[in-house]
Amino acid sequence: MVTLEPEKKLYMKKLTKKLTACAGLSLYAEQPGGTVGITGHLCGDKLCFVCNSQRSRVTRRKYRSWFEANPVLFEVTGSNGRSKVVTAFQYHKNYEGAHYQPVKYEVMHFTLTVPHTAENGYRGKQIYFDEFTRCMTELRRLKFWTDNVLGGEYGYETERKYAGVHIHVHGLMFVVAGLQNRNRLHRELLMNWNRLTVDSDNCRSVFSETDIAGIRKGNKLITEDDVNEMNPKGATIINLETIYTKNKETGLKERVKDFSDKGFMRGVMEAIKYHFEPSFFDKKENQFDLQMVADLKPLLHGKALYKKFGCLVGETALNINENIQVEYSDAVEDFDPGTGEILERDFYTVNPALMYADKDNITWSRAAVASRRQIKARTTSEAVSVLAGMIREACRGGLFRTETQKLDHA
Ligand SMILES: [Zn+2]
């Protein structure tokens, strides 16, 4: 049995309440042709599997349409007279009609870590989130970065490993298209990141043969001089990859440049899947490291763990952590497509666990029929706002409290 300090216990109680309430109440419509699911209450927590799968689905859709709308970026002259690369959305919003130069770009996936040890953490901190953030800010100001990287997004991941708390960054960057750009950029990123992340308290004072092999692996542009220039007290492991697919016959990685290629979205989602997979979950053991959740989540609360940069700043179409609580699919029509008449139907709320659903049909179980509640509404959006009100009421009134009470008595 784990005993938690009061502050952590309060956090865990709140979390349990949220997770228990998640997907507990959903809205369905019975209409000619069958039953359709409209939406459900989602808790929005990053540790919730239901919400993560929804977030991942929505994000895939967002990114696909974003890449369709942005085959190139726009280089324009900003109000300060300097050139600036913007997205199609920003061009039409702020520079419509202005002269622009189309900019071809490629998408890469990157991972960054800082050197840390179980005893000392990083720069004297066990939870070095703020220190990491400062390195990221400095990195994004460097000339090699602003010259090559047009924009992107990244998220912080936290795990507990043999060397203490392991914080790292995964993200996507949009870089100016060009020959050999991966190796060139990888080398510059490695050299600069190594310099920026030096921790004078780190105990490594020379590189071992293994370190050197690791540094030179995967990039033929890194020379012996480069290795000599690097600081053993800074980070030496980074990852930078183009978006690729695996050739089914040869098993080899193939670079995907065409945004409309089927493999491209697969690669992008693979690169950002970390945003939807809680690192507190141990896939091998199939369980959460609850002690770690209790230890770390309160400390990370309110921190910006996800960031867009460069041309993606303000690109609201790509927000992945916005409120997903009561959002319904716009595929649900209020009108009969044949006659244009408003559809005759009945709206119900029910616990979705009681429904039968397969690929084509949603059907009512006896328990679902017995416990469903009919909602008086004419349109989908009316029904959704009634549902939203019910959820607010339920959260206040404690309909979802049972699990939390159990925890109270534990
Ligand atoms: Zn949830």
Side-chain angles (χ1 to χ4, degrees):
M1 171 78 62
V2 180
T3 321
L4 294 176
E5 296 112 71
E7 204 184 324
K8 291 180 185 172
K9 187 167 172 179
L10 184 70
Y11 175 82
M12 291 302 270
K13 273 172 72 173
K14 279 192 191 153
L15 179 65
T16 314
K17 189 171 173 177
K18 272 172 92 177
L19 295 180
T20 315
C22 189
L25 200 55
S26 287
L27 179 67
Y28 293 88
E30 247 188 350
Q31 61 187 48
T35 301
V36 289
I38 295 168
T39 186
H41 162 63
L42 296 176
C43 72
D45 199 276
K46 300 219 185 70
L47 294 181
C48 175
F49 282 106
V50 179
C51 291
N52 275 324
S53 110
Q54 167 75 357
R55 213 177 263 133
S56 158
R57 214 167 49 85
V58 171
T59 304
R60 173 188 293 271
R61 200 173 62 207
K62 286 179 179 177
Y63 270 85
R64 188 185 294 124
S65 34
W66 192 89
F67 281 113
E68 261 168 36
N70 291 273
V72 291
L73 295 168
F74 296 65
E75 187 172 355
V76 291
T77 307
S79 49
N80 56 5
R82 269 188 267 162
S83 81
K84 194 178 172 186
V85 174
V86 299
T87 63
F89 166 72
Q90 288 157 19
Y91 177 78
H92 295 304
K93 190 173 155 214
N94 303 321
Y95 302 94
E96 185 74 71
H99 174 74
Y100 72 89
Q101 199 64 33
V103 179
K104 277 194 184 163
Y105 67 103
E106 286 173 25
V107 183
M108 292 188 191
H109 168 217
F110 68 100
T111 310
L112 296 170
T113 59
V114 296
H116 60 94
T117 58
E119 306 76 51
N120 305 325
Y122 175 64
R123 292 186 177 167
K125 297 270 187 66
Q126 283 298 334
I127 312 287
Y128 44 88
F129 176 80
D130 294 334
E131 288 68 24
F132 204 133
T133 303
R134 269 198 291 280
C135 293
M136 288 304 292
T137 312
E138 281 182 59
L139 175 72
R140 286 176 20 230
R141 285 198 194 119
L142 296 179
K143 190 173 181 317
F144 95 91
W145 183 277
T146 52
D147 280 353
N148 291 286
V149 184
L150 302 167
E153 57 92 59
Y154 58 85
Y156 287 90
E157 301 302 317
T158 318
E159 289 169 276
R160 187 148 55 191
K161 283 193 167 170
Y162 52 91
V165 174
H166 176 59
I167 302 179
H168 54 286
V169 150
H170 283 289
L172 286 180
M173 58 165 90
F174 300 169
V175 306
V176 183
L179 212 60
Q180 277 264 319
N181 57 3
R182 183 268 169 192
N183 282 358
R184 201 171 39 77
L185 199 58
H186 176 271
R187 179 179 163 273
E188 296 222 56
L189 183 59
L190 178 64
M191 303 292 289
N192 281 292
W193 187 245
N194 170 260
R195 188 173 47 77
L196 289 178
T197 54
V198 166
D199 177 0
S200 52
D201 292 335
N202 192 286
C203 49
R204 182 166 73 176
S205 50
V206 281
F207 288 128
S208 68
E209 286 300 313
T210 325
D211 290 334
I212 295 172
I215 292 168
R216 299 192 65 176
K217 193 179 136 218
N219 190 349
K220 54 179 188 283
L221 298 187
I222 297 170
T223 63
E224 213 178 311
D225 285 349
D226 290 339
V227 178
N228 290 336
E229 201 184 302
M230 285 170 72
N231 192 325
K233 294 181 184 295
T236 49
I237 302 167
I238 61 157
N239 190 45
L240 182 70
E241 299 268 8
T242 52
I243 298 293
Y244 59 80
T245 50
K246 281 224 176 89
N247 184 311
K248 273 192 190 126
E249 275 151 37
T250 61
L252 292 175
K253 289 176 182 177
E254 281 174 6
R255 187 168 179 172
V256 194
K257 283 191 178 176
D258 184 356
F259 300 157
S260 61
D261 190 291
K262 249 206 283 178
F264 179 76
M265 265 326 286
R266 220 179 309 131
V268 167
M269 291 308 286
E270 181 64 23
I272 61 172
K273 70 175 182 199
Y274 307 93
H275 301 333
F276 321 110
E277 285 184 358
S279 48
F280 298 83
F281 189 74
D282 184 342
K283 270 196 201 158
K284 253 193 232 136
E285 299 293 327
N286 244 345
Q287 62 184 18
F288 275 103
D289 182 346
L290 287 179
Q291 183 66 55
M292 186 171 137
V293 173
D295 288 347
L296 294 188
K297 283 286 277 181
L299 294 174
L300 297 176
H301 185 78
K303 306 263 188 197
L305 297 176
Y306 173 76
K307 220 179 172 72
K308 296 209 254 19
F309 60 89
C311 67
L312 289 193
V313 173
E315 201 70 5
T316 45
L318 290 180
N319 284 359
I320 64 166
N321 286 325
E322 69 192 17
N323 190 354
I324 54 166
Q325 297 200 5
V326 178
E327 190 189 77
Y328 66 94
S329 138
D330 38 22
V332 181
E333 284 288 343
D334 283 321
F335 301 96
D336 184 322
T339 62
E341 299 268 308
I342 193 149
L343 278 174
E344 276 300 323
R345 56 191 168 170
D346 296 318
F347 292 102
Y348 295 98
T349 58
V350 71
N351 183 336
L354 302 174
M355 302 295 284
Y356 298 125
D358 62 29
K359 207 160 93 294
D360 307 308
N361 286 304
I362 297 177
T363 45
W364 297 85
S365 71
R366 223 164 342 140
V369 173
S371 62
R372 72 187 182 184
R373 208 168 121 185
Q374 187 161 7
I375 285 185
K376 283 204 189 80
R378 259 167 61 85
T379 64
T380 312
S381 64
E382 262 176 53
V384 170
S385 49
V386 175
L387 174 75
M390 286 170 73
I391 288 161
R392 273 196 301 275
E393 194 56 35
C395 289
R396 257 204 307 272
L399 179 73
F400 301 130
R401 216 165 51 194
T402 356
E403 286 304 310
T404 325
Q405 277 165 345
K406 269 189 226 158
L407 196 82
D408 236 354
H409 298 296

